[in-house]
Structures are given as C-alpha cells and as structure tokens.
Amino acid sequence: MKKLLLSLLALGSVAAMAQQKVMRIALNDGTSQLVNVNDISKITFENDGEDPEPEGPQMVDMGLSVKWATYNMGATKPSEYGNFYAYGEIEPKDVYSLETYQWYYPDYNDWDCDQWEAYYKLGATFTGTNYDVAHVKWGDQWRVPTKAEWDELIYNCDWTWSSVSGVLGCKATSRINGNSIFLPAAGNMVDDQHTHDQLGCFYWTSTEYVQADISKECRNYRANLDATNQSADGYDYPEVGFSIRPVYGPAPAELLPEVTYPSDENMVDLGLSVKWASFNLGAAKESGTGLFFCWGEFTQKQYSHVYNYKYYDPLTDDYINIGDQISGTDYDVAATLWGNGWRMPTMAEMQELVDNCTWTATSSGYKVTGPNGNSIFLPACGMMTYKGAPRTSSEPGYYWCGDADTRVNWEGKPMSSTAGALRFSRAYGSNASEYFGAPQVGYASRAGGIQIRPVHQ
C-alpha cells in the first residue's frame, strides 16, 4: 500500500510537471538543470564580469551643455542610418516632397500669397515640442538639437572621416573630455531619391532660418558633415528628409523681453474699479506700439499663427487648456514682466472701461476719459499675424483680456481657439470722429499677437 501511494505521488508530480513548460539546460560537466519557463523574463549571453547590453537610447557626455545620443532616430546602434524625417514631422515616409510635407499649405498659390506662405512655419525653434520627433518618441528630456547646440558640438570636437562596421561617417571626439560619437554618412532623401549615400551626413537642427523679410521662402538650419567640412550654417527646404541625432537636456530657457517698468505716475486712476497703465506693455510712452503677445505667451515672435502658438498641440489638432481666467496667474505676461500687482485686465474690467468712459477717436487710436476726468490713450497698432508685424499705418486696435472663451460651438465643443479682447475697427472716415468704429469687447484668436494694457488694483 505504501509503495502504491508513493507511485501515485510520483505520477502526480510528473503530471504537474507536464502541465508546465520547462527548459532543460545541459551543462559542460554532463549534468543538466530544469527551469520553469514562467520564471524566466529574459535570456542574455554575457562575458563574465561585463555589464549587460543597455536597453533604450544611450547618451554620451561630450563635456558640452547637452549630452548626445549614440545613434540616430530609428536606429539601434551607431553604424545604422536610422530614419529620415522632414522638418517638424515625427514619422518617416517613402516620398519627401512639398506635396507630402505635413506642414504644407494646400491652398497656396503664388499669385496672391507670399512665398513662405506655402508652409505653416513652426516657430524660431521646435525643440522639446510636439513637432520634435526625439521628444515625442523617446520622451523625458530627449529632443532635436538647436543650431546653437550643433555649433557647440562642431566647434568643440576634432572630426575624422572613419568607418564603423563598414559604414563611412564622421567621428566627433571632444576636445574637452576625449569622449566621442559616430555619425553615419546616411545622405538624405529628396522626393523618393536617396542621395549622397556614404558621402555626407545631413542632420536637421530644430532652428528656423530667420530672414529680415519673412515673406521670403521658408528655410531651416541643418548640419552638414563630410570628410572635409563640418557646419551647421547651411539651411534647406523643410520637406526634404534628413537624419535626426537627439540630444538630452532641458530645452533652452525662454528669453523674456526687456520692458520699461511703470512708475507710480504711470498708474492712472480713471475713477473705475482698477487703475490703468498709461502705456502698453513693451512700450515706453503712451503713443508707443508696445509688443505683440499671443494669449498666455511671454515673448514677441517674428510672426504669429496657430502652428507656432505655444499652447497648440499638433498631435491632437487642439488647443492646450491653460485656464478660463489667466489674469494674475503664471500665464499672465503683464504679471510676469511688470510684477508688483500689475496684471492683464479681465473682460469685465475692459467692459467697464468701454461702458463708463468717453472714447474720443484720433487718427492713431482712442483717447479714453474716465468719469473723474483723467484719461489714457490706446493706440491702434493692429495684430501680429502670419505675415508678421502690421505693414501699414492704418490699423485697427486690439487689446487682450485675461478671460478664455468659454462658449461652445454648434457641436457643443468649447471655443478653445479664442480669448477675450477689446477691438476697435478702422473706419477710414473723413474726420477724426470717424477714424474708428465703436470699441467692443469680444474675442480674438489666441494665436494672434496683440497688445496688452495692464491694470493695477
């Protein structure tokens, strides 16, 4: 009976083992081991004393302001080409042409548009944004390097034309700490043609080529490296396909503009609920234009439209919610640049200015006189658009409020693209009283650059 019980137990153990997947490992000494497959997460082959092969993107400290990736986007090792990308796109493709470029304006025609309007320009730099393939795909602080960061690498390294695993390319060796990276000569893609293969390295920077006249064609800086020259001073059409070599580090800090700080005598009591500044943010006197800001942004740009608006997300084609009321918050440029209690006016405060003051039109704006007889002047400076700063002296007037547009459209969706603003239209009358239409508090595109007249409690 005892033997029968032991036999049954042994059969039970075999049956249980049969229900599990096991691995038998044969050793050189003739013995073997059984390992439950469910207990194994990964098998690697390593030399004794060596660290395992690291997973995910790796970086090299070249002694510079950022660390550099060891291989291109889309690659797994330094000698691989990786993918080609058009400027500001996050996916590779088969054809790199104007027609396939994601940020091409499909209704462009050269008889009534400036040359650069063929493109939706993405801003002075897209590093660290949702136009940045390295940031989107690798996350954290990975991003496409700026022109300045490429210049830093070029000027602080010794460059040799060499090969890795039979692939030609440029080896950059830091003069600061001796570390190095290899950049394969992957060439580039124009239309469906792979050109300059094994002849040169072409890498996008994340920096736009800035021209004095923004009506010229759109170009963006690229790094070009070969056996004799290394430079990031060249620029190219955004639709061509270049390699991307990411860097790791925080995106460059936003440089705030220098502004004139108002003194006590610049605070005007009109007899209303708040006091008003006597000049626009960014101006130095009441007749000055001041700076053009998009809603919630802190710097003036060379041009303003949705595709270079900081709070637009191209991945979702929607606006980022920064709050229903930004007056006095971290998104208030007046509070940030002037401080000391200054802020953007609310819609209610702007409406109070309209309803309780006398508005007298001049050739260049409105004199606004409060119930107590004191006055301020609001110049008509127009709006910063995709064509840049206003190009004529005959412009309407726009001024931001701190209120978001909380209305909904016919589909019941929030009107997330607009925010509160004061506007007075150009009327082109024959006398001063007809220069402008009546001021109205309404809404304007958040991505448009317009003036701000701060208030103080």
Side-chain angles (χ1 to χ4, degrees):
M1 186 67 180
K2 186 175 181 180
K3 290 183 178 180
L4 178 60
L5 179 61
L6 289 173
S7 299
L8 289 173
L9 289 173
L11 288 171
S13 299
V14 171
M17 183 67 76
Q19 293 174 359
Q20 299 179 2
K21 291 184 177 180
V22 296
M23 175 184 294
R24 181 178 296 277
I25 303 173
L27 304 178
N28 289 332
D29 62 2
T31 63
S32 64
Q33 295 179 0
L34 285 178
V35 180
N36 191 329
V37 173
N38 293 331
D39 295 333
I40 300 173
S41 62
K42 183 179 180 181
I43 298 174
T44 60
F45 296 89
E46 304 166 9
N47 293 326
D48 186 28
E50 287 189 359
D51 293 331
E53 187 70 22
E55 296 181 0
Q58 303 301 304
M59 65 186 78
V60 178
D61 183 358
M62 304 287 283
L64 307 174
S65 62
V66 292
K67 295 179 175 63
W68 284 78
T70 58
Y71 49 77
N72 292 346
M73 286 297 305
T76 59
K77 56 185 178 181
S79 60
E80 290 181 354
Y81 287 179
N83 297 327
F84 296 100
Y85 298 91
Y87 187 84
E89 293 188 354
I90 61 172
E91 298 293 345
K93 52 192 178 184
D94 295 327
V95 179
Y96 294 79
S97 66
L98 187 59
E99 291 72 26
T100 66
Y101 183 49
Q102 184 176 3
W103 308 118
Y104 169 62
Y105 175 49
D107 296 326
Y108 170 77
N109 55 74
D110 56 13
W111 58 269
D112 69 347
C113 295
D114 290 332
Q115 287 179 311
W116 82 275
E117 290 178 71
Y119 302 90
Y120 296 128
K121 298 177 76 174
L122 308 183
T125 179
F126 66 65
T127 192
T129 72
N130 281 338
Y131 298 108
D132 184 330
V133 61
H135 182 68
V136 171
K137 299 293 188 182
W138 287 4
D140 201 5
Q141 294 185 16
W142 287 106
R143 54 186 178 80
V144 176
T146 64
K147 179 186 184 303
E149 289 160 347
W150 267 107
D151 285 337
E152 182 186 40
L153 180 75
I154 291 169
Y155 299 150
N156 288 283
C157 289
D158 292 320
W159 294 83
T160 55
W161 188 251
S162 59
S163 67
V164 172
S165 301
V167 176
L168 292 173
C170 281
K171 180 181 180 181
T173 303
S174 172
R175 299 192 189 110
I176 298 171
N177 62 13
N179 291 338
S180 64
I181 57 174
F182 177 77
L183 300 113
N188 56 40
M189 289 292 296
V190 179
D191 293 321
D192 60 350
Q193 301 298 307
H194 184 194
T195 71
H196 297 84
D197 184 20
Q198 289 290 273
L199 297 177
C201 315
F202 295 84
Y203 287 88
W204 277 126
T205 80
S206 57
T207 302
E208 177 184 77
Y209 173 64
V210 178
Q211 304 179 77
D213 182 357
I214 66 167
S215 66
K216 301 296 184 182
E217 293 176 293
C218 179
R219 298 287 190 277
N220 303 285
Y221 281 109
R222 54 157 169 77
N224 183 201
L225 320 166
D226 57 34
T228 57
N229 296 291
Q230 300 83 40
S231 171
D233 294 331
Y235 43 88
D236 220 316
Y237 292 99
E239 67 266 21
V240 300
F242 290 154
S243 301
I244 297 289
R245 177 60 63 93
V247 294
Y248 186 89
E254 189 174 23
L255 295 177
L256 300 181
E258 294 183 4
V259 296
T260 300
Y261 186 82
S263 59
D264 289 343
E265 55 265 28
N266 299 127
M267 188 185 300
V268 181
D269 182 0
L270 297 173
L272 305 175
S273 62
V274 291
K275 297 178 176 65
W276 289 77
S278 63
F279 52 80
N280 290 348
L281 186 61
K285 56 184 180 180
E286 67 174 16
S287 60
T289 298
L291 296 173
F292 296 90
F293 297 97
C294 296
W295 198 72
E297 293 187 351
F298 291 174
T299 57
Q300 176 175 280
K301 299 176 288 194
Q302 194 183 28
Y303 54 88
S304 298
H305 65 152
V306 62
Y307 293 100
N308 77 337
Y309 179 48
K310 184 175 182 178
Y311 301 111
Y312 167 76
D313 184 352
L315 299 182
T316 61
D317 190 25
D318 200 0
Y319 289 77
I320 298 168
N321 181 14
I322 61 174
D324 292 341
Q325 170 50 253
I326 66 171
S327 298
T329 72
D330 291 340
Y331 297 101
D332 184 337
V333 62
T336 298
L337 296 184
W338 279 8
N340 197 31
W342 289 101
R343 58 175 174 80
M344 296 168 63
T346 66
M347 287 187 75
E349 290 161 349
M350 192 68 84
Q351 191 66 57
E352 180 187 38
L353 189 74
V354 171
D355 293 341
N356 295 288
C357 294
T358 301
W359 290 66
T360 306
T362 72
S363 61
S364 57
Y366 266 108
K367 179 182 179 181
V368 184
T369 304
N372 63 6
N374 294 333
S375 65
I376 59 174
F377 180 73
L378 296 177
C381 304
M383 178 186 289
M384 173 81 77
T385 68
Y386 62 92
K387 291 180 179 292
R391 299 182 179 184
T392 69
S393 58
S394 301
E395 298 288 344
Y398 297 91
Y399 287 86
W400 277 128
C401 304
D403 297 68
D405 189 348
T406 57
R407 301 172 299 170
V408 295
N409 62 17
W410 63 275
E411 295 179 312
K413 296 180 180 179
M415 303 283 284
S416 58
S417 64
T418 52
L422 168 76
R423 182 177 188 269
F424 42 92
S425 302
R426 192 75 186 176
Y428 300 103
S430 59
N431 57 64
S433 64
E434 297 176 339
Y435 277 120
F436 295 97
Q440 296 180 332
V441 179
Y443 298 94
S445 168
R446 297 185 186 193
I450 66 180
Q451 257 72 50
I452 292 175
R453 179 60 64 93
V455 298
H456 198 286
Q457 199 67 44

